[in-house]
Amino acid sequence: MSMRSQVLVEHHGVATGKEMTTWQTLRRGVELSPELRKGIWVTVLLAVLSTLGRVLVPFVVQRITDNGLLAEGGPDTQVVAVYIGIALVGVAVTAVSAYFVNIRLFRSSENGLATLRLRAFRHIHDLAMLTQNTERRGSLVSRVTSDVDTISMFVQFGGLMLLINLAQISLATVLMVVYSPLLALVVWLCFVPLFVIIRKFQGIVGRAYTKVRERVGDMLGAISEAVVGAQAIRAYGVEDRTAERIDAAVEAHRKAAIGAQARSVVAFTSGQLVSGLTTAVVLVVGTVLAAGGSLTLGELLAFLFLVNLFTQPVQQATEILNEMQNAVAGWRRVIGIIDTPADVSDPGDAGVTLPRGPITVQFNEVGFAYPGGAPVLHDIDLTIAPRSRVAIVGETGSGKSTLAKLLTRLMDSSSGHVLLDGVDLRTIRFSSLRSRVVLVPQEGFLFDGTLLDNLRFGRPEASEQDVRLTLTELGLDPWVATLPLGLATAVGQRGESLSAGERQLVALARAYLADPDLLVLDEATSAVDPSTEVRIQRALDSLTRGRTSIAIAHRLSTAQAADEVIVVDAGRIVERGHHTELVRLGGVYSKLHESWVAQQQAV
Amino acid sequence: MNVPPTSTLREGRAVIARGIKGQPRWFALAVVGSVVYGVMTSLTAAAIGFVVERAVAPAIAAGHVTASQLWFIGGVMAAVVLTTIVGVIGRRIAGGVAMFNLGAMYRRQVTRQYLRLPLSWHHRHPSGQLLSNANADVEATWNIFAPLPMALGVVVMLVFGIVQMVIVDPWLALVGLTVFPMLFLANVAFQRAMSPRVTRAQQLRADVSEVAHESFEAALVVKSLGREDHEAERFRVVTHELRDANIEVGRTRGRFDPAIEAIPTIGTLAVLFVGTLRVSSGQLTAGQVVQVAYLFSILAFPVRALGWVLAELPRAVVGWKRVSAVLDATGSMTFGDRSLPSGAASHLQAERLAYAYEIESETGEPDLNPAVVDVTLDVAPGATVAIVGPTGSGKSTLTNLVMRLVDPDSGAVLVDDVDLREVRRGGVSDVAALVAQQTFMFDDTVRGNITLGAERDDESVWRALDVAQGAGFVGRLPDGLETHVGERGASLSGGQRQRIALARAVIREPQLLILDDATSAVDPSVEQAILARLREASSGTTVLVVAYRMATILLADEVVYMEGGRVVDHGSHDALLGRCLGYERLVTAYAREAAEREAIAAAEEHDEHGRGADAAEEVSR
Ligand SMILES: Nc1ncnc2c1ncn2[C@@H]1O[C@H](COP(=O)(O)OP(=O)(O)OP(=O)(O)O)[C@@H](O)[C@H]1O
Ligand SMILES: Nc1ncnc2c1ncn2[C@@H]1O[C@H](COP(=O)(O)OP(=O)(O)OP(=O)(O)O)[C@@H](O)[C@H]1O
Ligand SMILES: [Mg+2]
Ligand SMILES: [Mg+2]
C-alpha cells in the first residue's frame, strides 16, 4: 500500500474514539449533550438534601439508642418520640427531594441522549459516502441505538451518585477524624490499596466494555445479513453457513460480555473485600486502643458505625465506576462517529448558490483512486455543454459510476477539479447542488411506504396532482393503473413488493419529479423491458430538453439517442462524439456497437 | 394502566422459569452465592456482637489485650468478610454467565427463525425491527437475571431475619411483618403503573432502530437527493417519542422509588418506638430492641433487590413477548426426505402454477395480488428456455417458484418428476442454482462469495470466474480472491458484482441453472462472452433464462412469453415473432428504435449536410 493510500484509509475510516481517555470522553459527551448540565446544580442540591436525610436516619437511630433506650434510669419515651419525629421529617425530606432528583435526572438525561442520538444520526448522513461504506450498516445502527442506551444508565444515576458518594466519603472522613484521628488514619491507610486497584481496573474494565460494544456492532452486522440477504441465502441453501457466521458473532459477543462482567466483578468485590477487612482492622486496632484506655467501648462501636458510613459510598462508587466504563465505551463509539470529519462537506453559507438553468459540466484533469486502491480514473478532461444529452458507455468496471459519483459530489476527486457552470463543485452549497443535480444510482432504494411517498421523496411539497402529471409525462400512468392500489400501493421494505423493473421506474420518476437541471442516470433502466425503456427514453428525450442529462447505459439504445457519446475505458475517456461518428471511427465504441448489433440483428 | 398486575406477575414468572430451565446450573450457582451472601450479611451484626462480647469487651475491661484475642477478632471478622465475598463473586459471575448465556441462546434461536421462515414473512417484517428483536428485545428479556439471584438470596435473608426477630420478640417481629407486605404492595402498584409504559418504550426502541436501519441503507439515495434534513426529521420524531416514553418510565419510577425506599426506614422507627414502649413496661431489654432495629436496617437495603426484580419484570415480559412473536411465527416451509437425482441435466416441469402475493387492501384487510397465474412449463433435460415478458409480468416470481423459494398456491413444480415439496431441506439448491436479478454479496472475500463455504480449490474458482468473465478484474484486485468485497459488495462495480454472482452459480455445476436477468449490468461484449462460455460450460445443464436481449433469447431452444403472470405464448423465437404481437414489440423495440433514429439522422444529415462530421475526436489514451 502506498503512503498516499495509507493516509487515505486513515482519513476515510470512521474514528473509533478509542484514543480518548475516560475524562476526555466524559467532557466531550457532556459537551455534546448540554442538557445533561442544565440545572444540574439544583439537582445536586436536592440530591445532597436527600442524602442528608439518609445519613440523618442512622444518626437518629443511634441517638435513640443512646439517649432514649439506654438513658439512665430506664428508657425515655419522650426523647424517643422526639427523635422519631425528627427522623420522620428526615424521611419525608429524603423522599420528596429524591422524587425531584429522579424526575429531573430522567428528564435531563433523556433529553441529552436524544440530542446525542440525533446528532450522531445526522452526522452519519453527512459523512462521505466512502466513509459510510467503511462501516457495516448494522454497526452504524448500533451507534444510534444500543450504544446510546448503554450511556443512559450511567447518566441517569451514576454521575450524580458519584458526586454524592464523594461528598459522603468526605463527610464520613471528617466525622471519623473528630472521633479518633488515629483510627481515621488506619481506615484511610486500609483503603490506599483499593484506590490503586480501582485505578488499574478502570482501564481493564474500560477496554473490556469497549470490546463488548464492538461485538454488538459485529453481531448486528451478521444478523442483518440473514435478514437482508434472505433470498440469496435460501437460493443457495447456505442457511447453515450463515447460521455459523451469526453464531460466531453471537459467541464472540457472549464471551466479551462475560469477560467484561468478570473484570467488573473483580473490581467491585475488591471494594467489598477492603471494606470488610477495614472493619476487622478497625476492631483490632480499636481494641488495642481501648484496652490502652484512649477509647471507650461505646466510642469504638460508634466509630464502627462511621466506618460503615465511609465504606458504603466507596463500594457504591466502585460499582458506579464500572458502570461508567460501560457508558464510556458506548459514548466513545458515538462520539467517535460524531467526531469523524465529513470529508465531503457542505460549504454552507459561505458556499455558492447556483442560479437555476441548464448546467455546464467541466472536468479538469480529474483523477480518482478509492482509498487503498489503484487509480480508477486518470486525467479526465471533459466539458459537457448545457442542454446536451450525453451517454457514457464503457466496459464494466471502467469507472463510469465513479465518474457519476464525482460529478454529483458523492466523493471528491483525488486530483483535479470538477466545475459546474464554471464553479468548483466543492464551493457549491449542498442545498443548491442537491436540488440542481440529481443522480439515479445503479442500486436504487425505495422506502417502506406508499408509492406516492416514494415518488415525492425528492420533493415533498409536490402535490398528488404534480406526481400524476409527472407519471403521465413519463408514460408511466398505465403502469400505475395496473398496481393494486395505484399510488397508494405499499412498495414494501426496500421496495421489495415491486418487481425489479418497477423499482427502477419509481426511482427514475422520483428523480425526475425532483426537477433537477442536471439529471445523471446510472443504468437507471437496466432492468426495465425494452419497449418500456424505449418509451421512457423518448419521454425523457423531450422532457430533458432545456436541461442537461447524462446517462450511463450498457444498452446502446441510449447512446444512439444521445447528442454525444463518451466512451470510458480503463479509467480514461478514449472516444467521444455522436453515435454515428463513433461507429464509423472503428474504435472501442464501434466494437461495443458491433456486439450490440449482433444481439439485435438476429431478428 | 389497564394491564392487571397479576398477569405481568404470572407472565414474568413464566419468563423466569424459562430462563432458569435454560441455564439451571449457572442459575443455581448464582442463587447459592446469593444465599451465602444473604446469610453472611445478616450474620455480620451478630459476628460483631460476638467478638465484642468474647474479646473486645473483656480486653477493655482487663485494660490490656492479648495477641490471641486480637487474632480471634481479626480471624472471625476476616472469615465473615471472605465468605461474604465468595458469595458475591459466585452470585455476580454465575448470574452474569447465566444471563449472557441466555442472551446468546435466544439470539441463536431467533436468528435460526430468520433463516427458517419464508420470504413472505420477511417481507412483512422490517429489518430494523428484526434487528431489534434479536438485540434489544433479547437483552430486555434476560436482563432480569442480573438482580434475580440477589432477590432470591434476599428471600433467605428475609426468612433468616424474621426468624431472628421472632426469637427476640414476636411483637417486634409483627411490626416488621406488617412492613414487608406494604413493600410488596407498593411494588405491585409500581409494576402495574410501569407495565404499559415500558411496553411502549420498548416498541419505540425498535421503531428507532427501524428508522435508523432503513435510513442508513438508503444513505446513497438520501445523499443524492439531498434529503438529509428530511431523514433527520423522521428520526427526530421517533427519537423524541422514545425520549418522552422513557421520561414517562422515569417519572413513574421517580414516584415509587422514594416511597419504596422510605418504607423500611419507617419500619425501623416503628420497631424502635414499639420497642421503647415494651422496654418501659419491662418486657424487653434495650439490647434486644437494638438488635432487632439493627436487623431491620440491614435487611432494608437487600429487600430493595426484590423491588429491582419487580421493576425489571415488565420489561422482561415485554421483551419476551416480542421475542416469542418471532419464535412462534409459523409458516416455515416443510420438507420431505427425497433427493433429486444427480448426474444429468434436470427435467423441469411446472403444472398449472399459481402464486399471489399477500397485500393489504385499501381498507387494510389482507388481499391477494396474483403474480403468476396458471403457468405450465416443460423444459426437457439439457434444453434452454428463455422467459420473456414486460416489466412486472411475473418472471422473477416464476423463478422463485422453480427454486422453491416460495411454494405455489396451487399447482406444482416437478424436477425429474419429483415434486419440490417432497425434497429434503437443501435438496433443491444441491442441483439447481439461481442467479437472482438483484445480486446479494456477503460481507466476505471474493472467494467466500463464490464458494459460499464449500471446499473448492483455487483452480475451480478461477474456472468459474473465467466462465463469468470475472477472472480479469479479480486478478487485478489488490488481494485477488482474498479481497474483501465489503458489506453488500460495496467496493465492486455493479457489473463486477453480477459476474461474481454468476461465478457463484457456475462453480456449483448445477443441473438446473436459472438466470434472472443476470447480465443486466454488464456491457454487450462481456455479455456475449459470458453467454458463449456458458453455452460451452453448461452442456449438461438445463437452463431457464429470463432475458430481454435477442442474443440471449437466441440461445434458447424455446421461448416462453409472459404477460400479467400468464403464459401468453410459447414456441421457437421465429414462431413467436410471427404470431405474438406483444413478443414482437418487446424484442424488436431496440431495433425499431435504432432504425427510426437512423432514418431521422439520415434526414437531418440531408438537411444540414454533415454538420457534426468532424465533431468526433479521439481523445488521447
Ligand atoms: N467503494 C469502492 N472501493 C474500492 N474500489 C471500488 C469501489 N467502488 C468501485 N471500485 C472499483 O473501481 C472501479 C470502477 O468502478 P465503477 O463502479 O466506476 O465501474 P463502472 O464503470 O460503473 O462499472 P459497471 O458498468 O460494472 O457499473 C472498479 O474496478 C471497482 O472495482
Ligand atoms: N413481495 C411482493 N408483494 C406484492 N406484490 C409483489 C411482490 N413482489 C412482486 N410483486 C408484484 O408481482 C408482479 C410480478 O413481479 P415479478 O418480480 O415477478 O416481475 P418480473 O416479471 O420479474 O418483473 P421485472 O422484469 O421488472 O423483473 C409485479 O406486479 C409486482 O408488483
Ligand atoms: Mg457502474
Ligand atoms: Mg424480475
Side-chain angles (χ1 to χ4, degrees):
Chain A
M1 210 186 275
S2 69
M3 260 309 279
R4 190 190 145 67
S5 51
Q6 190 112 38
V7 170
L8 268 174
V9 169
E10 281 167 13
H11 198 47
H12 279 283
V14 169
T16 54
K18 264 189 201 164
E19 57 289 340
M20 271 194 292
T21 65
T22 303
W23 184 237
Q24 284 168 330
T25 311
L26 292 175
R27 274 231 316 252
R28 181 85 180 106
V30 173
E31 198 178 291
L32 287 170
S33 307
E35 293 90 343
L36 294 180
R37 219 169 20 195
K38 212 171 122 210
I40 187 71
W41 292 116
V42 178
T43 315
V44 167
L45 228 69
L46 284 168
V48 167
L49 208 59
S50 75
T51 311
L52 279 182
R54 284 196 191 100
V55 178
L56 179 73
V57 172
F59 259 107
V60 169
V61 171
Q62 224 229 325
R63 292 283 107 175
I64 292 175
T65 319
D66 283 0
N67 301 354
L69 267 173
L70 303 174
E72 309 219 345
D76 187 336
T77 324
Q78 207 166 351
V79 170
V80 171
V82 169
Y83 274 119
I84 285 182
I86 295 176
L88 282 178
V89 172
V91 169
V93 169
T94 304
V96 172
S97 47
Y99 167 74
F100 283 110
V101 168
N102 279 343
I103 300 239
R104 291 177 65 87
L105 278 178
F106 260 105
R107 191 171 305 134
S108 68
S109 64
E110 285 301 329
N111 273 311
L113 294 184
T115 305
L116 188 69
R117 251 190 247 274
L118 291 176
R119 181 107 183 230
F121 178 89
R122 178 59 218 240
H123 193 75
I124 288 173
H125 274 303
D126 283 342
L127 287 176
M129 183 195 78
L130 289 176
T131 316
Q132 290 173 342
N133 286 349
T134 57
E135 281 261 316
R136 300 205 200 139
R137 298 297 189 246
S139 179
L140 286 178
V141 171
S142 79
R143 296 205 192 225
V144 295
T145 54
S146 62
D147 286 338
V148 177
D149 292 339
T150 312
I151 308 170
S152 74
M153 187 104 95
F154 173 70
V155 292
Q156 270 160 20
F157 295 105
L160 190 73
M161 281 312 291
L162 212 53
L163 279 181
I164 292 172
N165 285 332
L166 281 180
Q168 204 178 330
I169 290 169
S170 324
L171 183 68
T173 307
V174 171
L175 289 175
M176 285 192 305
V177 171
V178 170
Y179 266 76
S180 165
L182 192 63
L183 281 182
L185 184 68
V186 169
V187 170
W188 268 91
L189 280 181
C190 287
F191 271 88
V192 169
L194 179 65
F195 296 140
V196 176
I197 294 175
I198 288 179
R199 257 193 87 85
K200 185 148 180 57
F201 260 85
Q202 280 291 287
I204 296 177
V205 171
R207 280 191 293 281
Y209 279 123
T210 303
K211 204 162 141 189
V212 175
R213 298 315 317 154
E214 284 166 5
R215 295 297 162 270
V216 170
D218 292 349
M219 191 168 74
L220 288 180
I223 294 174
S224 83
E225 213 166 61
V227 173
V228 181
Q231 192 195 24
I233 289 165
R234 280 159 186 74
Y236 282 89
V238 285
E239 286 91 346
D240 291 346
R241 169 176 143 90
T242 313
E244 271 165 34
R245 281 159 65 98
I246 292 173
D247 287 355
V250 167
E251 179 61 14
H253 169 256
R254 186 188 73 91
K255 281 222 179 88
I258 290 178
Q261 172 87 355
R263 284 169 182 80
S264 81
V265 168
V266 172
F268 173 72
T269 45
S270 58
Q272 266 203 327
L273 181 69
V274 172
S275 299
L277 291 182
T278 303
T279 310
V281 171
V282 165
L283 256 179
V284 168
V285 176
T287 308
V288 173
L289 289 178
S294 53
L295 210 65
T296 66
L297 177 57
E299 280 172 333
L300 177 57
L301 291 182
F303 193 85
L304 273 183
F305 170 72
L306 287 178
V307 171
N308 194 34
L309 208 62
F310 178 84
T311 56
Q312 201 202 326
V314 171
Q315 280 180 40
Q316 201 170 29
T318 49
E319 179 96 304
I320 292 171
L321 285 179
N322 284 339
E323 184 58 49
M324 180 173 88
Q325 285 304 333
N326 193 4
V328 164
W331 232 332
R332 277 201 182 110
R333 275 172 58 86
V334 184
I335 293 172
I337 201 117
I338 290 178
D339 287 348
T340 301
D343 295 331
V344 181
S345 61
D346 187 354
D349 291 338
V352 181
T353 306
L354 292 177
R356 285 222 61 139
I359 289 180
T360 316
V361 181
Q362 236 178 305
F363 278 70
N364 281 346
E365 291 178 19
V366 170
F368 184 80
Y370 285 98
V376 171
L377 291 179
H378 316 263
D379 307 324
I380 303 282
D381 272 304
L382 178 68
T383 305
I384 295 173
R387 292 196 178 79
S388 58
R389 284 164 299 142
V390 172
I392 301 181
V393 299
E395 274 190 32
T396 48
S398 55
K400 304 179 297 296
S401 298
T402 307
L403 202 68
K405 284 170 187 161
L406 289 177
L407 175 60
T408 48
R409 200 157 181 242
L410 290 172
M411 320 184 285
D412 278 333
S413 56
S414 313
S415 61
H417 300 275
V418 182
L419 311 173
L420 292 189
D421 287 346
V423 181
D424 189 325
L425 209 50
R426 282 170 237 228
T427 64
I428 302 175
R429 297 180 62 160
F430 273 15
S431 56
S432 172
L433 179 67
R434 299 295 184 221
S435 65
R436 306 275 326 274
V437 181
V438 166
L439 167 75
V440 182
Q442 209 164 353
E443 310 79 22
F445 185 99
L446 303 189
F447 290 85
D448 191 0
T450 65
L451 183 59
L452 184 63
D453 292 342
N454 272 287
L455 288 169
R456 271 208 289 234
F457 184 73
R459 191 154 70 92
E461 70 278 7
S463 67
E464 194 174 327
Q465 218 50 46
D466 297 336
V467 175
R468 287 192 188 283
L469 188 69
T470 303
L471 289 171
T472 314
E473 284 177 348
L474 288 173
L476 293 178
D477 41 349
W479 165 65
V480 173
T482 64
L483 291 175
L485 300 180
L487 279 178
T489 305
V491 304
Q493 290 180 73
R494 296 179 281 273
E496 279 166 5
S497 297
L498 296 181
S499 83
E502 291 169 337
R503 274 200 292 278
Q504 286 195 333
L505 296 180
V506 179
L508 191 78
R510 170 173 70 187
Y512 182 73
L513 186 68
D515 192 22
D517 292 315
L518 171 59
L519 187 60
V520 185
L521 306 174
D522 190 354
E523 295 185 39
T525 49
S526 60
V528 175
D529 72 65
S531 50
T532 309
E533 190 185 18
V534 166
R535 219 172 52 234
I536 289 185
Q537 188 71 57
R538 291 201 171 172
L540 279 178
D541 272 2
S542 55
L543 295 171
T544 52
R545 298 248 172 254
R547 9 184 150 210
T548 314
S549 80
I550 299 177
I552 298 173
H554 287 308
R555 299 186 181 175
L556 296 194
S557 57
T558 312
Q560 275 168 335
D563 296 331
E564 188 180 23
V565 180
I566 292 171
V567 185
V568 182
D569 191 36
R572 291 176 203 275
I573 296 181
V574 290
E575 286 165 22
R576 55 183 297 195
H578 190 265
H579 163 77
T580 42
E581 292 139 17
L582 292 186
V583 171
R584 275 186 227 136
L585 208 61
V588 179
Y589 184 78
S590 73
K591 280 205 204 86
L592 276 178
H593 187 248
E594 254 167 52
S595 354
W596 171 252
V597 171
Q599 290 185 350
Q600 302 310 317
Q601 294 285 300
V603 185
Chain B
M1 285 290 191
N2 45 12
V3 181
T6 48
S7 91
T8 307
L9 273 182
R10 186 154 25 83
E11 287 166 342
R13 260 207 320 270
V15 174
I16 290 172
R18 187 177 291 271
I20 295 175
K21 213 152 62 191
Q23 290 290 318
R25 297 221 179 120
W26 286 108
F27 184 75
L29 198 60
V31 172
V32 168
S34 178
V35 168
V36 169
Y37 165 79
V39 171
M40 292 319 287
T41 306
S42 36
L43 274 182
T44 307
I48 292 180
F50 178 67
V51 294
V52 167
E53 193 184 313
R54 283 295 183 81
V56 181
I60 294 173
H64 70 92
V65 55
T66 65
S68 67
Q69 274 171 329
L70 291 183
W71 278 116
F72 177 74
I73 298 169
V76 170
M77 293 308 294
V80 170
V81 169
L82 288 177
T83 320
T84 313
I85 295 287
V86 169
V88 172
I89 293 182
R91 183 193 83 220
R92 289 208 168 201
I93 293 197
V97 172
M99 179 168 86
F100 293 123
N101 281 359
L102 282 170
M105 225 166 98
Y106 278 85
R107 286 194 172 112
R108 280 195 292 268
Q109 290 185 17
V110 165
T111 50
R112 245 8 59 90
Q113 280 294 91
Y114 292 169
L115 290 172
R116 193 158 36 223
L117 287 166
L119 285 176
S120 55
W121 185 87
H122 277 274
H123 282 308
R124 287 196 304 272
H125 295 83
S127 316
Q129 294 275 351
L130 297 186
L131 278 191
S132 200
N133 287 150
N135 188 38
D137 291 334
V138 168
E139 197 173 298
T141 311
W142 304 120
N143 257 355
I144 198 167
F145 274 71
L148 187 62
M150 170 86 148
L152 292 184
V154 163
V155 172
V156 176
M157 263 176 90
L158 267 181
V159 174
F160 200 79
I162 291 168
V163 167
Q164 271 188 315
M165 280 192 266
V166 170
I167 291 172
V168 176
D169 182 61
W171 279 105
L172 284 188
L174 195 67
V175 175
L177 289 176
T178 54
V179 166
F180 289 125
M182 249 164 74
L183 259 181
F184 185 74
L185 281 183
N187 265 313
V188 168
F190 170 54
Q191 229 195 107
R192 173 186 216 155
M194 281 292 265
S195 214
R197 294 179 167 83
V198 172
T199 306
R200 187 171 149 71
Q202 198 67 10
Q203 173 57 44
L204 284 166
R205 207 168 292 246
D207 290 351
V208 167
S209 155
E210 181 186 336
V211 172
H213 195 266
E214 187 182 39
S215 191
F216 293 161
E217 287 230 35
L220 191 63
V221 170
V222 171
K223 239 186 219 313
S224 60
L225 285 167
R227 304 298 295 153
E228 291 92 342
D229 285 339
H230 172 263
E231 286 300 283
E233 175 59 21
R234 205 156 72 93
F235 188 68
R236 191 193 64 76
V237 172
V238 278
T239 299
H240 280 181
E241 274 180 52
L242 172 63
R243 176 197 68 187
D244 295 342
N246 276 341
I247 291 179
E248 263 306 300
V249 169
R251 199 190 291 280
T252 314
R253 251 180 93 164
R255 260 204 308 274
F256 282 91
D257 247 13
I260 292 174
E261 188 188 333
I263 291 174
T265 313
I266 295 173
T268 311
L269 295 176
V271 165
L272 280 173
F273 188 71
V274 175
T276 309
L277 293 181
R278 287 176 63 78
V279 172
S280 302
S281 58
Q283 284 154 308
L284 275 179
T285 67
Q288 285 171 314
V289 177
V290 173
Q291 201 186 337
V292 174
Y294 189 80
L295 274 173
F296 222 99
S297 62
I298 282 211
L299 292 184
F301 169 71
V303 160
R304 297 195 64 207
L306 216 59
W308 296 335
V309 168
L310 290 171
E312 273 290 321
L313 211 55
R315 219 162 94 83
V317 169
V318 172
W320 173 247
K321 277 192 185 146
R322 296 173 57 85
V323 169
S324 59
V326 175
L327 295 182
D328 297 343
T330 51
S332 51
M333 282 188 170
T334 52
F335 294 89
D337 49 10
R338 299 184 64 177
S339 293
L340 293 173
S342 62
S346 306
H347 178 199
L348 170 69
Q349 286 165 288
E351 286 171 3
R352 316 207 57 172
L353 283 181
Y355 185 82
Y357 289 102
E358 283 170 31
I359 56 167
E360 266 187 14
S361 72
E362 251 148 322
T363 51
E365 280 145 36
D367 200 355
L368 292 175
N369 179 26
V372 165
V373 184
D374 200 15
V375 167
T376 301
L377 285 179
D378 191 339
V379 185
T384 298
V385 167
I387 299 181
V388 182
T391 294
S393 54
K395 305 179 294 295
S396 298
T397 309
L398 181 61
T399 62
N400 288 351
L401 286 165
V402 169
M403 256 329 263
R404 207 189 168 209
L405 295 177
V406 290
D407 275 333
D409 299 331
S410 64
V413 179
L414 309 177
V415 169
D416 292 331
D417 298 321
V418 181
D419 188 326
L420 291 188
R421 282 169 292 208
E422 291 165 14
V423 176
R424 64 182 166 77
R425 179 183 281 278
V428 177
S429 55
D430 278 351
V431 299
L434 164 72
V435 183
Q437 198 166 17
Q438 220 71 6
T439 43
F440 183 85
M441 291 280 122
F442 294 90
D443 187 4
D444 202 343
T445 58
V446 171
R447 179 202 300 280
N449 266 296
I450 293 174
T451 62
L452 296 180
E455 285 293 323
R456 297 293 185 152
D457 55 17
D458 276 15
E459 203 190 326
S460 52
V461 175
W462 282 114
R463 233 186 357 247
L465 272 171
D466 209 33
V467 173
Q469 302 296 305
F473 86 83
V474 172
R476 283 192 298 274
L477 289 175
D479 299 317
L481 286 180
E482 307 309 324
T483 310
H484 276 268
V485 302
E487 196 181 34
R488 321 254 196 286
S491 69
L492 299 174
S493 84
Q496 292 170 339
R497 282 198 286 272
Q498 216 166 39
R499 282 181 280 173
I500 291 183
L502 261 170
R504 183 189 285 170
V506 168
I507 199 172
R508 305 190 149 213
E509 295 170 359
Q511 295 163 212
L512 174 59
L513 178 63
I514 305 163
L515 304 173
D516 187 357
D517 204 9
T519 49
S520 62
V522 298
D523 57 84
S525 51
V526 172
E527 187 183 23
Q528 285 288 59
I530 291 176
L531 294 175
R533 291 300 313 273
L534 264 183
R535 182 161 223 174
E536 285 168 31
S538 61
S539 49
T541 308
T542 308
V543 181
L544 195 64
V545 55
V546 175
Y548 295 127
R549 294 186 210 176
M550 198 71 77
T552 323
I553 295 170
L554 285 180
L555 292 179
D557 305 303
E558 189 183 8
V559 178
V560 174
Y561 180 68
M562 290 179 74
E563 232 174 69
R566 291 173 195 275
V567 174
V568 176
D569 204 344
H570 63 101
S572 73
H573 169 71
D574 293 328
L576 284 191
L577 264 189
R579 65 176 189 238
C580 180
L581 188 64
Y583 178 74
E584 199 224 304
R585 281 238 187 95
L586 197 73
V587 296
T588 60
Y590 292 141
R592 276 184 291 127
E593 170 77 357
E596 232 163 276
R597 295 241 177 234
E598 250 152 51
I600 293 171
E604 269 176 13
E605 208 158 334
H606 190 71
D607 286 352
E608 295 179 41
H609 221 69
R611 181 191 50 152
D614 44 19
E617 49 185 309
E618 173 118 14
V619 178
S620 63
R621 262 176 198 263

